[in-house]
Structures are given as structure tokens and as C-alpha cells.
Amino acid sequence: MVEAAPETEAHFKEYAIEEFLVRDEPYYRPIGDEIELFTAAYRQHIPVLLKGPTGCGKTRFVEFMAWQLGRPMATIKEKSGKEEELKEGEVRVPLVTIACHEDLTASDLVGRYLLDANGTRWIDGPMTRAVKNGAILYLDEVVEARKDTTVLIHPLTDHRRILPIEKTGSIVEADDRFLLCVSYNPGYQSALKDLKHSTRQRFISIEFYYPPADIETEIIQRESGCSKEHADALAKLGEKIRNLEEHGLQEGASTRLLIYAGRLMSEGITPRRAAQVAIVWTLTDDPELQRSIEEVSSSIFE
Amino acid sequence: MTSGPIPEIEAELAKLPPAVLEAYHEANDSVKESFGEEEIGLWAKEGLTIGTQTVRSWESAIEYYRVSPEVSKFLSFPSFMQWARCGTYLAQDSPTLAVSFFNSSVSIVPNLRPQYIPRWAGLGRSLYKGTWKSSTLAAKFFEVSPDLVRNLPFWDVEVFASLIEALSYKSYDVAGECLVLGRDVLPAMGREREPFLAMSRALIDTSWREVKTCLELVPRALQQVDEAQTGRFLKLGERLAKVGLRNTSKFLSDGTQALSKVPQGSQGYILDLCDALVVITPDAVPPFLKSLDDVLNRITVSQLDTWFQHGAHLLQENPESGIAFFKIESNTSESMLETLSSSLELDRVKSILRLYCRALAGTGLEIFDSQELVSRNIGWVDEGTASTDGTKIFLPPVVDHYTNKQDNFSWFKVVSTHQVAHLEFGSFEYEFEKPTSQFEDLRHEMEQKAIQRKEDQRALAKEDYDMAARLLTSGAEGDVEMTPMFDDPNDMGSMRTFTDIGRFLELFENSRLGFDIFAVLEDCRLDYRIKVEYPGIRAVSSRVQGETLANRPRIEDMPLQQGLVELLVHMSLDQFQDLPVAIEYKEAGEMLSSILHQLRTAEANVEDTAEATLRAYEIISRVPNEQEEDDQFEEQDLEEPGDFSEEDYQSLVDQLQAGMDASSDGGDGESYESPDPVDYRGDFKPEMVQLMTKLQADSGEQGEAQPMTQEMLEQLLQESPELEMDAEQGEVDSNMSMFAQNIMKEAGAPPPNSQPGEGYGPLLHDDDSGGELEAREPETYVYDEWDFRANDYKPRWCIVKEKLVEEGDATFYQESLKTYSALSNHIRRQFELIMPESMRKTYRLVDGEDIDLNAALEAWADLRMGVPPDEKIYWHRNRNRREVAVVFLLDMSASTAEAIDEGRQTVDDRDAPDDPVEYMVWLRRRREGLVRRNYKRIIDLEKEGTTLLINALESIGDTYGIYGFSGYGRENVEFYVIKDINEEFSDKVKRRIDKVTPLHATRMGAAIRHAITKLDNQDAKTKIMFLISDGRPQDRGYSREGVEKEYAVHDTHMALVEAKHKDIIPFCLTVDKAGHDYLKSMCGDMGYEVLADIWSLPERLPMLYRQLTAVR
């Protein structure tokens, strides 16, 4: 669970999980008031639930928020003594991202005793570390997690803001900067995997959807570096494909896919081909659906 | 034992070769068990008779004695003697024959009725002609007889034997071979044996050598030809053989080959075609069948028709060229195949186009054949053109404009893009009051003028009316009845303002001209938008436009007014250069171009089109519709007409008006005619679409606004320029009223003159009298019924009879899956998503499949730490089935027979005419009737939904039962089992679904209670009862005092409550739009859903199920 920084200096950079900081401003194009909402929630220690289909910018948003909140201009009550350790211009809100899956156990998150030559040793899990270091803890696709792990976050998400560690018999109090943020995709949530209400009602919810066509154009152009025309057409294609969501397509084309297509185009791949490999074939295996989407794409692209 | 004649016989036998006596003695002992003493004597004596018939007949006698013990076991003594005597006669003719007769008898007697034995012997005898060869044949016959008799009915054996006999006159060898072949081949045949034998018989007269080949070929034919068609196929062979076709075997092999390539369902159709050919020239059948394989590689079965018809006509005129045609040895044939093979049928690309259109429009559009729209009879009359009614896109059934499929598909695409554009860019969203962006507001002023004009007319009419009235009253003495010559002018109000488009079109004095201009300008706007929004289609669309332009009539040939409209059409098709404009109206042409250019921008909306139309109309209507000489025209370049200016426009109008006033020399020239339609743009009927939408919306809410009556609608349709009627006035009227009726139906408004409750049968008597019922027959059950007034149950009130649904054809099941293949995959996937739940690993168990490493390590660490370790260190894969049991209750009441599409015609079932040409017409019609039958009933959708559900349920293995219910009266609640809850899914179930049909009434309560019983016996965690209906519960006597519908609703509600008490989750799904009224009280807090769109039933049903079972 170590994320490498985008710029590789020598070979690669390795961080301890709680030390990973978003250093450069990630590109995020706000659509509504989500930035204000998140900032307010952060200051008020209210956990945030991000809902939305895949590839619509949830993760990017959290990254952006980590960066934004970590900048000095954000007035956050600092824990004394921490400041000296920061290098010049360094940001102060680390981001700990955990992708949830159905085999994720509580000790995966909290920590466990390990055996070594001298006996046993306690190792903090990523959640514990995030809590201790005042990070934004981002649990991606939280519905995938086992029920017992979701219960873990309950004491963290109400007024207590504590993490009891059963094994060591201790309780960790969350750092002031700590915030829990979870995301899930209501689209392929089979009703069985719904969040329990006792969990759900500990968050404020920000709903994400694909951005409107003009903003999406802007995003595609900015992210992929393709021409305005192509970005425009891609956004239109995305919109049209999303119309098919109810008619056989599981999920519409994500902004991410549109950006991929745009990137291919900026590398000189012909638009129709780029759309085919990045969007059509990725979205579905159903030949009929593929053909239909391709017809839409061939109407839009010359 | 040796008394009587026996010793004598024995003495006589001793005179014959000793083997005879030996055989006799050997048999004697066992025969004694079957026969009495006297009988033995007769038996022995008959042997002697046989032995003494001819010189060599003692051999027969030996055989006789040898088989006697065996034969005697199966025959009574008289029959036995009859049998023996048959042998005697045979021995008389030929001892060898008798030997084989006796020899075969052992195995034949058990299978042959005794009275047939003489006939059987006779069959063998008839083959014997006194020659050595014939005796061998006859002997062979006896030899194969046991097999034949065992497997065929005796009369078939007789027919076969006579066939062999007939053949033996030609050649004994061939006859012998056929005999053996027949033994192997015939038993495998079923019903087709008879036609086959008939065919073979016919062959003997014409070409007997073919018989053997046919026998060799027929098994393969039977394998590859559809079972139902083999009979016809062989009959065809017979007919051909009778008319003297030489190589029938070739026909058989080619035919088999050809038919095997044809999809099963179409084989009958191919045979239809062959039948048609036999009538004309039988010789054409083999070449046709031979080519068929090749032909079908290039074109589809449905295209075959066109090709065949052409060939058949040729054949009638000239058999030679006809046969060459079918051999594909003629140019006509070849080129026809070429065209056909490149043509594209809508059916093949429908699903792709549907998704394409849905993606573009963003709504759940459906694609239909344009013929469909015409047959709905609501005002659309052109079968070949595309159109849309706002929710469906109609496309022509076939495109063959180009010589390759790709181009034809592109054409489809251009056409459907244009139709979708009407929706996407809002042609039907016209609002009179919505401000425009490209023009100043002119419409309100025009409306004032129009109203003024109307009022003037009205005043004029009133004057005439009053005048007439005065004349009548003053002229007569008072008792004269006044016949109004004019309608009362006060009745002349218009309904057109019902829709916004109607209100707009009302502004034009010449509404046809106004509408034509509007249509052209709107199409122009859309085509421009399409080119901007969809650059990818630009090239194809320009090509189509170019081709359309090439076929437009010359402007110079038209009267001036029409010429200007045509000018607009040209410009809308992107031609701005070299446009001929009458010199006199050069400015008008330029002005029209600048008006049109205002619409060629992405900002222009339909309201702008309307404003543009007003202006274009003002100009064009002031131009006389007169013919002009060619030299009065000048080619103009109207590419850049300069910006539109209201002042210039106004002065042009004034100028034209002045010109018109000046030259008011009476006639306005020719009367105006609409331009030729632009093919790819199809039919544009905005007023109809707005009308339908509005009617549908109105019928949804009811009340408030005065609902539209049929008369009002008729009047409206009369006035609308969208409905073109060339027919006589009377016919128009009747058409209008038919359209109006159909439109009302489409819109869901109650049909005129119908009383509420009509069609459900009068509730004559209620069953309050009468008492408790008893279930006497098997598979019947008695249930109570809830009486809400009495607030108590009526004990043992209903009898539920459980019946199995008949089995029909499994094709319905398969066809439904095919039709909804994309959807069914989707649903299956959705369902499979639930599955992993049950296969998930469970960790930290006290025992399980394997050690959970994480837990074990922790435990180990705990041990070291001195903390008591957790002993749950195993994991286990949860293999439990999803514990869901579900019962589906399908409403099979008569009302589910209601068609969702109205106006379908019944299939023409006349008998086949004799004349070949008529016959083919008939054939074609019949076929189209069969192929295009798309008349769906509510129950069909219920069935389709069930099919999809079954398919999905099988993938997750839930326990489920599917039942239908209907009935008549409380003692007859029918409960039909389609799949019982404990029954395994099988082909039987598939076939039963086919037979689910609308029956009688719906007494839901009892059916629900029976379903509860079924579910209650199940041992599952979650139990669900899913009720699918099309309306409120209704039945004879299912009410109190026969009137209160509430009774049925309350009883049903109570039944559902009972279900809930037994931990069953009930859910009601109804397609009745009025369902909200009673479902609320019927279901209470239990789940229900009213489907707004019936068509979505197959899709919605499985989805609902998934949600229902998921929530726990």
C-alpha cells in the first residue's frame, strides 16, 4: 500500500503510508460547491461519503482536497511541535488511501502482532497510522469491505474520534487533522452490499456524476492535451453513450476513459480508432452494443 | 396315445424320407402340450398332406414339423390349422417357398394378428411367378417379413410388397435389393412412410431404376429435413414422379441438400415455392432446389421471395428462360441476386439502430417498421418512408439504394439520425409563446390578423345565413320548416389551438403551403445541426443530399409559387449555386435564402423555424402560382445572401403585395401543390405528435380540462394539413373518424360509447346464497374468503382447482430469449452478481475447511504473549444455496388478451387458389402475414418476462414456481401450474409457457391463498410471492351484492396479509395504469409497482425480483 510519487528521481520513491503527501496541485475542476462542502466538513470533523460512478473524479477530488487543505493558507489547528519537522513548502495533510475488498479484515486496517525472533511485535495498520498522523483516510469502494471492518470506523466517525485497538488494549485518539472519507459506486452496488444505515448516517454525502458536457470538454482537453474539437466530440460521445446506461450498458463511459481516448488522439491515433480501443471495447463485450456505440462514434468523429 | 389315425399317419410318413418322421417325432412331444388328442391327429395329418404335395415337398413337411411347437404357442388351434394350410398351398406351388414360409413363421407369428396370416402368405405367393428368380424373391420376402411386420403396420407391408411385385416385373435383382433396403429403411420412417411408398410407386411407371436410389437416399433426407416437412417433401417427389420427372433421386438428394441449409422454420416455405413451381413447370423444381443452396448463401430467406417471384413469372412466359433463371444461368437472375444480396433489411440492423437512436436521443426509443405505423391507422399512410411519433422511430423495411450493404446501412443511419434529430433538437417541443433568437416576434401580429380574417369570414357567413333565414321565413307562411343552408356560424370555432403547433399552423390562410414551408425549413435546420454536431456523418449525409438533389424536379418547369418552395427544398439540401430564379422575383429568392440562412446556426430552435416560416410564407404566398417561360429564369448564386434584415423583408413584402394588387386579373394561377417529398427525411407530422403526447398526458390525469371528444378530434384532423387525403370527401370523413378512434385508443383514452365495466360481463347474480363448498375431486383445494363488511371470513368459500398447463411448442421460449438476448444477458449478469454471496469464504470459525492463516498467526502470537488465544482459526466456504423460494402468479384473465398494438389484420387464410399467379400472390401474402405478425398481447409480455426470469433464476438456483390463475366463479378458481415449485426446470416447462393463454376472470384472493400453501411447505429463509396482473381483481360473485368492487380488493388484501403472517413477502406488479387507485388499498404497506410502460415488463420483472430478494 505504498504509492509512488509521479516524478521519479533516481529510481522510485518510497514513502511510509502516513507520510505520503500530495505535493503538486492535482488538477481538479469543481462542478458545484463540493470544495466548500468538503472544507467545511473537514473543519467540523464530519466524515464525508462520496458517491458516484467510476471514473468521475472521486479519487482526484480527495487528492485535491488533501493538497488544498494541507496548504498553509488553510487554517487548521496544528498540533504543537509538528511544524519543525516540515520542510519548506511541504504540505501537512497526508493522504492514506485504502482500496476495500471483501477479504479486508479488521487487523489489516488496525494492525497486528507479528512474530519475530524475539517474540512478538505490534505493527500499526494503515488506519491506525492515519489516525495517529492526522491524515485524510480514504476508503475506496467501502461497500466491498466486510461488515466487521465497517463497524471499526464507527467510534472514529462520531464525536469520540477514537480508534480502540482491542489487541493491544489501547485507544488511539485521532489527530485533529484526521478525516475519514469513504467512497462508493451506487451503480453496481447490488442491494445486498448496501451500507448499513448505522454506518451511512455518520457521513455527509456528496454526490458525483459525470460533469456536464462543457466542463467535461474542458477537463478532457486539460488532462489529455488533445484539441478542443476532439475534446468537444469526446464529451459529446460520452454523453451519448451514457444515454445507453439503461438500455443494456452496465455503466456509461467514464471521464477517465474519455481522457484516455483524448490522450491517444494527442499522440496521433485517429479519433475513431482511439474511441474504439479506449471506449467501445473497454465498455462492453457485447458485439451488438459495441457496434451501436461504434456507430455513434463514427457519426461524431469524421 | 397311439389310438385313432395316428399310427396310420405315421406309417404314411415313413414312406417319405426318414428325416420327415424324425422331425415329426421330435415335434410331437412338445405339440402335445398345446393341442388335444384329436387336434394332434389333424396336425400330423396336415404334415402328411404337405409332404405329399409334390416330389420335393417333403422338405416343407420337415420344416412344418420343426416349427410347429414354437408356432403352436402363439396360435389357437383353428388359426394354427389355417396357417398350416397356407403352407400347404405354398408347398403345392413351390416347396422352397413353403420352407421359407414356415421358417419365417417362428419369428413372425408373435407379431402378426392371426387373421393376417393368409394375407401375408398371399403376398409371398404373389411374388412367385413360377420361375427360379421369382421363387428366390418370394423366399427373400418371407425372410425379411419378420422385420417388416415387427416394425410396420400390416397395410404398409402390403403396399410395400405390391411395390416389390411391380418392381419385379422390371427386374428381379432390383426388386430383391429394394426388398432388403426397404427392410432397413422403412421402419425408421414415421408418417412419411406412406408418401414415400406412394412416391416410389409412382416412380416405377416412369423410372423404376430410381426406386433403389431413393431408398438409399431417403434416410439422409429424413435426418436433415424438418420432421414436419418430410411428408410434404416426399409428396412433392411423388407429384414430380407422376408428371414424369426423370431423375427423382436427384431431386431427392438435391432437395435434401437444399432444405438442410434452410433454417428449420423456413423449410415449409421452400416447399410452398416448389409446389408453386410444380403447377407451372415441374422441370423447374430440380434446378431451383439445386441453386437454392448457392442462392441462400447470398440472400436471406425473406429476400428469396422477390427472386423467386421473378423467376416464376419468367417461367410462365417462357419455360426455357425460366429454367435458366433458376439455374442462375441468366443475367437477370444474377443481377437480381446482386441487388438483393446488397440490400439491407431493417430487421437485421434493428437492434443496432435502436441502441444508436437511444444513445443519440437519450430516451428509450423503439425502432419499428414503417408498415407498422401505417397499420396502426392513425394518420400515417406512406409505408415506405421513415417517420417518428415522438417515442418510436419508424424506418422503411428494406433499403436497396446502393450496391453494397455498407452504403445501404449508411443510408439507414442518415435516415434514423434525421428522425432522431427531430427529438434531439426539439421539433416537437414547439411552444407558441417561447421567444425566438433569430427573428423578431411576428407571430402574435399574425395571429391577430388570422383571427381578424376568421372573424370576417364568420361575419360573411353569418350574413349569408341570416339572409337565407330571412328569405325562408318571409317567403313562406310560417309552417315551412327551415333547413339551414349554412352551419350556424357560432359553431365554427376551431380546435386547432389544442396544440401549440396547431395554433401556429392556424395562422396561415393556405395552411398546406404554410405547413410545407415549415417542414422544409425545419428539415433544413435539423440537417444543418446534424452536420455540425455529427461531423462523422457529414460525408454520407452530403452524398444522400446530392443524390436527392439529382432527382428533384426542375424549378423552371413549375409554377412560380411552387417553384419558390422547391427553391427552399434545394437550398435545404445544401444547393446554393446555380439556382434558377424567375427574374421578376429575384429579390424574393434572395430574401428566402437569407431567411433560410438564419436557421443555419446552432442557436436556431424550432421557434425560429416557425418565425422563418411566417416570413417565407408572406413572400411566397404573394407570388402568383403561374407557369413562366424558361428564358425568364436566371441562375442565381444564393450562397451568401447577406444578413437578414426585417426592414428589407418588410419592403419586399409591400412590394410584392403591390404587385399582386396591381395584377389582380382574377385567377391566382394554378392551385398550389406540395413539393415531392424528400425521401430520406421521411414524414414529418409535428402536430400529430404533439396531439398524441397531449392526449396521452390528459388521459393520464383525467378531469379538470374538458377531455377531447372524438368529434373534436375529427374536426382537428380535418383541418390539419399533415394528413393528406386524395380520396373523395366521404371517404375522407370515414377515414378521419377511423383515425380519430385509433388515436384515442393509442392515447389510452376510453373508447367512445363504452360504459364503465362493459366487457367484463354482467354481474348478474352474486353467490352470497349457497354455502360452504367441498373439495371432492383430486387436486382441488378449498379456501376461505374475506368479507370486509362482515369483518370475517366466509368459511370454505372457494374451490381452487390445480391443473397442469398443456404443453405447446418450446420455440416460444427460445424465441423470447433470442428477441431479448441483450437484455437476458444483462439480467443474467445482474443475477449472477448476487451469487458470490453464497460462495464467500467465512473466516474465524471454530472448524472449517482449512486453517485461516491470519487467525492462526494471531492465536500463536497471543499464546506467546500469554493472552488467551482466539480459537476460531478456521475458514469455511459457505456453500449454502441462497435460501429463496418464490412463487410467481400470472394473471391469465381474459383481459390479458388485450392487444398492445391495435389495428392488426388477421392472416388471410383462404384456401390456396389454383391459378399459379394467384397462388403466388396468396403465398406471398400468407408468408408476410406470418413473418410480420407482431401483434402482442399483455399476456405475451407476461410470458416473455417469465421466460427471462426463468433463464435468470436457473443461473442462481433459487427455488421457484410459476403459476397462472384464472377461473369463473368461486367454485372454479383455476390454478395453472407452469412450473411447480419442486419441479425441475425442463423442456416441459418451456413448452408449457407457450400454452399460457388468457382465460376467464381473476379471483385473486383464492389463488393467492393457494400460492401461500405452496410456499408454506417450502423450507427457505426468504419466501416471496410475486403477483403479476393487468387490473383489479374481478370475478362472478367476487363482490358483495354484486356491486362493490371493494369486496374483491379487500379479500385480496386480506390474502396478502395472510401471506405476510406466514413470513412470505408479497409483491404486486400491475400493468394497469389506473392501478394506483386500488393497489394502495389492496397492498397496504406491502410492495407494489405500477408499470407505466407495458413494454418494459419483460425487463422490469427480473429486476424487481432481484431487488426483492436482495433486501433482507
Side-chain angles (χ1 to χ4, degrees), chain B residues 446-560:
Chain B
M446 297 302 289
E447 191 170 35
Q448 287 311 314
K449 277 191 194 163
I451 290 172
Q452 189 58 47
R453 194 171 63 231
K454 279 257 157 74
E455 263 164 21
D456 291 351
Q457 278 172 0
R458 203 168 295 181
L460 217 61
K462 187 156 176 59
E463 226 166 78
D464 288 350
Y465 178 84
D466 291 345
M467 175 90 81
R470 243 195 329 275
L471 278 174
L472 274 170
T473 41
S474 65
E477 290 303 312
D479 56 6
V480 177
E481 238 181 283
M482 195 186 108
T483 39
M485 288 168 67
F486 304 95
D487 290 331
D488 186 347
N490 296 324
D491 288 346
M492 281 174 65
S494 170
M495 279 312 300
R496 292 286 297 289
T497 46
F498 188 67
T499 60
D500 280 57
I501 282 274
R503 181 174 167 199
F504 167 70
L505 292 175
E506 184 82 340
L507 303 185
F508 302 103
E509 198 173 357
N510 181 348
S511 59
R512 174 130 291 276
L513 175 62
F515 175 71
D516 287 342
I517 297 174
F518 178 71
V520 174
L521 290 178
E522 178 66 2
D523 282 337
C524 169
R525 179 181 79 91
L526 294 181
D527 278 354
Y528 179 79
R529 277 298 285 279
I530 291 172
K531 286 191 178 184
V532 174
E533 300 279 331
Y534 302 109
I537 211 170
R538 201 181 286 155
V540 198
S541 154
S542 294
R543 187 181 69 192
V544 172
Q545 285 188 335
E547 283 158 0
T548 313
L549 270 175
N551 293 323
R552 297 302 298 179
R554 265 163 49 98
I555 294 179
E556 294 94 318
D557 297 344
M558 308 175 106
L560 288 172

Side-chain angles (χ1 to χ4, degrees), chain B residues 2 4 11 34 168 203 234 340 362 446 464 512 534 584 777 818 841 851 950 984 1111:
Chain B
T2 47
S34 314
S168 72
L203 273 178
L234 293 170
L340 283 174
M446 297 302 289
D464 288 350
R512 174 130 291 276
Y534 302 109
E584 198 184 336
E777 295 157 54
K818 227 164 87 188
K841 281 182 184 175
I851 288 177
I950 291 182
E984 287 291 312
V1111 177

Side-chain angles (χ1 to χ4, degrees), chain A residues 102-103 107 115 120 146 167 192 236 240 243-244 247 250 288-289 291-292 295 298-302, chain B residues 351-352 355-356 358-360 362 364 409 413 424 533-537 829 834 840 843 858 860 865 1110:
Chain A
E102 55 183 26
D103 284 341
S107 42
L115 294 172
T120 55
R146 282 150 53 94
K167 279 284 156 59
L192 281 178
K236 198 183 294 163
K240 300 298 177 200
N243 283 337
L244 289 177
H247 310 291
Q250 294 231 298
E288 204 161 74
L289 214 48
R291 172 84 196 273
S292 307
E295 290 302 336
S298 73
S299 278
I300 289 176
F301 291 107
E302 272 179 271
Chain B
S351 49
I352 292 169
L355 288 171
Y356 173 77
R358 281 177 175 179
L360 258 51
F409 180 75
K413 211 172 141 182
E424 197 183 356
E533 300 279 331
Y534 302 109
I537 211 170
R829 252 196 69 79
I834 316 177
R840 178 177 286 179
Y843 297 94
E858 268 170 44
W860 192 243
M865 294 278 296

